[in-house]
Amino acid sequence: MIQIINKCSDNQQKALLYIEKTIENNWSRAVLMNFLGTDLYERQGKAITNFEMMLPANGSDLAKAITKDPYNFDFLTLRENYDEKELKDALMSNIQDFLLELGKGFAFVGREYRLLVGETEQFLDMLFYNIQEHCYVVVEVKTRDFEPADMGQLGTYISAVDGILRGNMERPTVGLLICKTKDNVLAQYAVNVVNVPIGISEYELTRIVPEDYKGSMPTIEQIEEEFGKIFEGEN
């Protein structure tokens, strides 16, 4: 706990949050330092949502868990002009880190999760289940600015999961849209007219590799050739 005290000496509430989460989640020192470095306290509860209107009071724990803004994807390394598929592939390759960023109690159900809705197939970007809150969570990821039309798509997925997958004893399905950027005023108006629980967050990503980075790196063949020259010189 010394690290928490040193990092949060000027803010008791901030220190308390990290202490509670360390005990609650049994964080290692490495995980704790990671979240201290990603400003988890400052990002908590900042997402644009309609949770207060759409979720019962006892659903507040889940709301707190997923209402970060922005989500920190610094565990990913992507090229400058990455596209949506690359981002989703990278998230799946680092699913343990993504689950940590989402919060406590999340289990991964599937990516591009297929739902047969009527006579059409719908594919959800990512489907999770929160074991503690007993509800599904649909996550859609966009590499562009938020658009109001996104609410129609995500709202449809949430309703479909409620109708097809949700059991009688489970809580309402929650949706989370993670986008590159958003206009907070526009986003708030958009969630206010949706009749299912939805949150909208941005993501931040700093580990960007220049487009020509790979081309500037030596190939395996070039490395082997250089080693060969060194060994020849020694002989």
Side-chain angles (χ1 to χ4, degrees):
M1 297 299 173
I2 295 174
Q3 291 90 354
I4 298 176
I5 295 170
N6 290 339
K7 290 275 188 177
C8 312
S9 57
D10 60 337
N11 189 328
Q12 289 186 339
Q13 290 298 318
K14 182 177 180 178
L16 182 61
L17 177 136
Y18 284 111
I19 290 170
E20 288 176 346
K21 287 198 171 289
T22 299
I23 296 171
E24 179 183 351
N25 300 308
N26 194 29
W27 282 350
S28 65
R29 180 182 182 277
V31 172
L32 168 62
M33 296 306 293
N34 172 72
F35 281 115
L36 281 168
T38 62
D39 298 323
L40 176 64
Y41 176 79
E42 288 77 11
R43 296 186 290 120
Q44 288 280 102
K46 294 295 188 348
I48 302 296
T49 78
N50 61 4
F51 290 162
E52 289 187 4
M53 295 186 296
M54 299 305 305
L55 288 176
N58 58 7
S60 61
D61 287 344
L62 177 64
K64 290 177 183 176
I66 69 172
T67 52
K68 301 179 186 70
D69 190 35
Y71 272 82
N72 188 287
F73 289 172
D74 281 356
F75 51 85
L76 305 182
T77 301
L78 294 170
R79 64 186 179 92
E80 286 178 349
N81 292 326
Y82 65 92
D83 58 28
E84 209 154 276
K85 182 181 184 302
E86 287 177 86
L87 176 58
K88 293 171 188 176
D89 286 344
L91 286 173
M92 291 304 96
S93 298
N94 296 269
I95 191 64
Q96 284 188 308
D97 293 310
F98 187 37
L99 286 171
L100 277 175
E101 183 67 6
L102 278 176
K104 186 179 179 183
F106 282 92
F108 179 55
V109 179
R111 178 190 168 185
E112 296 295 327
Y113 190 89
R114 175 183 175 273
L115 275 182
L116 185 61
V117 183
E119 297 181 358
T120 67
E121 290 182 318
Q122 300 296 322
F123 294 90
L124 287 54
D125 276 357
M126 286 176 277
L127 183 63
F128 296 86
Y129 191 84
N130 190 279
I131 298 168
Q132 295 177 327
E133 299 298 325
H134 305 290
C135 74
Y136 288 99
V137 179
V138 180
V139 177
E140 286 291 305
V141 179
K142 306 294 183 186
T143 57
R144 53 164 171 75
D145 296 349
F146 165 73
E147 296 177 1
D150 296 331
M151 293 294 90
Q153 179 192 31
L154 183 52
T156 300
Y157 293 165
I158 294 167
S159 295
V161 171
D162 271 341
I164 299 169
L165 301 180
R166 177 186 168 197
N168 292 334
M169 303 301 291
E170 291 173 325
R171 293 181 176 174
T173 301
V174 173
L176 175 64
L177 179 74
I178 304 178
C179 54
K180 183 62 178 173
T181 57
K182 68 182 185 308
D183 180 311
N184 286 341
V185 175
L186 179 64
Q188 189 65 67
Y189 279 125
V191 299
N192 285 349
V193 298
V194 178
N195 61 358
V196 289
I198 283 183
I200 308 171
S201 295
E202 297 178 359
Y203 69 88
E204 60 182 17
L205 177 66
T206 60
R207 295 174 63 184
I208 297 293
V209 176
E211 290 297 313
D212 59 353
Y213 177 77
K214 185 175 180 180
S216 66
M217 294 291 289
T219 64
I220 297 297
E221 291 77 13
Q222 289 171 327
I223 293 172
E224 290 176 347
E225 183 181 347
E226 289 300 316
F227 272 117
K229 291 178 181 177
I230 293 173
F231 290 131
E232 287 175 5
E234 289 179 351
N235 295 329

